[in-house]
């Protein structure tokens, strides 16, 4: 089983990226005042410094928003948008910085998913069951199953050979929408079709993190799948974690079969 990465890894790498941008600002600032520079060069460097300073400011507000939200378990409203933009903009930089430091990409993504889930929970978003979408990957389906559940999830016969049947039982109990996706294109199609106000998504670290970034600003709670047979084949998911994520979005009165 993979070691659980710290939830602090992602904010720490965002902080590291911020430091890199600040160093870049300082270096460019220094270049402006090198005596041999022509006026044209100085103007270009001024422009570069202003641009980098804006990027640094964005990263700093995103970092601050993230740390405050995680510490207080409550959204810091004015910093919510900068946090979202900073995460989206800096995600590739954070992965590159992590790779440079020898940190596994999956660990960074896991930490990001954990941080994202805490930021989403802090927003305390509540939606009605029909406004909630459960998106799961096709790798959850038993590889020998002949039923076309990606066309219509209702084609599942609930034979018990994979988690899909039990997820459908949850769907029946709570009344949310559900889609089985083969990739980003189908997942986006389900989002357009159901127009959810909140999403619970199951996938591996890579698909989950890109899905969370893609569907921004719709709040997504991510549950990482279990892959006892390796990637993309007969995967599984913790029903308790999926149900917990669903409960986070449904108001108590909408949890029809609770208890
Ligand atoms: S539970 Fe549904 S999807 Fe899974 S193997 Fe049975 S019929 Fe197929
Ligand atoms: S393991 Fe990941 S990439 Fe492979 S099918 Fe499942 S969600 Fe998609």
């Amino acid at each position: 089983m993979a070691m659980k990465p710290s939830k602090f890894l992602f904010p720490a790498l965002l902080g590291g990226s911020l430091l890199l941008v600040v160093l870049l600002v300082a270096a460019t600032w220094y270049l402006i005042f090198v005596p041999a520079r022509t006026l044209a060069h100085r103007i270009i460097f001024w422009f570069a410094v202003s641009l980098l300073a804006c990027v640094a400011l964005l990263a700093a507000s995103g970092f601050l928003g993230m740390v405050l939200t995680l510490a207080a378990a409550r959204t810091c409203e004015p910093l919510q948008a900068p946090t979202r933009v900073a995460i989206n903009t800096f995600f590739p930089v954070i992965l590159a910085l992590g790779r440079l430091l020898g940190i596994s990409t999956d660990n960074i993504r896991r930490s990001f998913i954990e941080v994202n889930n805490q930021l989403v929970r802090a927003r305390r978003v509540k939606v009605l069951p029909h406004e909630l979408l459960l998106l799961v990957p096709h790798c959850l389906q038993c590889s020998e199953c002949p039923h076309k559940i990606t066309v219509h999830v209702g084609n599942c016969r609930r034979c018990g050979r994979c988690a899909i049947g039990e997820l459908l039982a949850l769907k029946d109990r709570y009344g949310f929408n559900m889609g089985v996706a083969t990739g980003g294109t189908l997942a986006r199609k389900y989002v357009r079709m159901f127009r959810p106000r909140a999403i619970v998504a199951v996938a591996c670290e890579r698909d989950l993190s890109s899905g969370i970034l893609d569907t921004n600003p719709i709040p997504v709670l991510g549950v990482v799948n279990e892959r006892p047979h390796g990637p993309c084949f007969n995967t599984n998911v913790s029903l308790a974690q999926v149900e917990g994520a669903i409960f986070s979005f449904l108001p108590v009165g909408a949890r029809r079969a609770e208890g």
Side-chain angles (χ1 to χ4, degrees):
M1 198 175 161
M3 204 174 75
K4 205 168 180 260
S6 162
K7 72 173 176 187
F8 299 111
L9 178 60
F10 188 80
L13 287 172
L14 178 60
S17 310
L18 170 61
L19 196 68
L20 281 182
V21 181
V22 170
L23 287 176
L24 220 56
V25 172
T28 319
W29 179 265
Y30 169 77
L31 286 176
I32 293 174
F33 297 103
V34 171
R37 297 278 164 234
T38 64
L39 183 63
H41 277 123
R42 286 198 175 158
I43 291 172
I44 292 169
F45 283 129
W46 269 114
F47 182 73
V49 156
S50 317
L51 199 73
L52 285 170
C54 290
V55 175
L57 201 66
L58 174 71
S61 3
F63 180 69
L64 189 68
M66 186 184 290
V67 170
L68 288 180
T69 307
L70 293 179
R74 278 201 89 86
T75 300
C76 180
E77 214 52 62
L79 293 177
Q80 205 179 310
T83 305
R84 245 192 347 248
V85 178
I87 290 176
N88 273 45
T89 315
F90 277 84
F91 197 78
V93 182
I94 289 169
L95 288 186
L97 181 63
R99 266 197 297 269
L100 216 66
L101 297 173
I103 303 168
S104 121
T105 305
D106 267 357
N107 275 352
I108 301 171
R109 288 183 172 131
R110 262 186 187 259
S111 175
F112 162 65
I113 293 161
E114 207 176 314
V115 166
N116 165 76
N117 287 356
Q118 290 204 20
L119 295 179
V120 168
R121 285 201 164 95
R123 284 165 66 185
R124 298 174 193 194
V125 175
K126 295 291 174 202
V127 300
L128 293 173
H130 71 272
E131 297 170 323
L132 177 63
L133 173 63
L134 172 64
L135 262 180
V136 303
H138 70 115
C139 58
L140 280 185
Q141 182 179 25
C142 170
S143 59
E144 287 162 11
C145 176
H147 304 295
K148 297 248 179 277
I149 59 166
T150 49
V151 176
H152 179 46
V153 71
N155 289 337
C156 165
R157 295 292 173 266
R158 307 189 188 201
C159 70
R161 279 187 298 165
C162 72
I164 300 290
E166 288 164 296
L167 292 171
L168 277 172
L170 284 183
K171 166 182 153 57
D172 290 349
R173 198 179 310 155
Y174 301 114
F176 52 79
N177 295 306
M178 178 173 162
V180 181
T182 46
T185 309
L186 194 52
R188 278 189 287 276
K189 188 181 149 199
Y190 284 126
V191 173
R192 279 198 305 275
M193 192 162 102
F194 291 114
R195 299 178 158 277
R197 285 187 53 226
I199 298 174
V200 172
V202 176
C204 60
E205 292 83 353
R206 192 197 62 182
D207 277 19
L208 209 46
S209 43
S210 62
I212 290 169
L213 296 171
D214 254 17
T215 43
N216 209 342
I218 303 175
V220 180
L221 281 177
V223 180
V224 177
N225 63 4
E226 297 160 5
R227 303 181 292 275
H229 310 286
C232 313
F233 181 73
N234 286 351
T235 62
N236 205 348
V237 67
S238 154
L239 286 182
Q241 281 186 35
V242 173
E243 197 170 19
I246 285 161
F247 275 14
S248 298
F249 282 131
L250 293 183
V252 176
R255 298 174 200 168
R256 295 198 296 233
E258 191 188 3

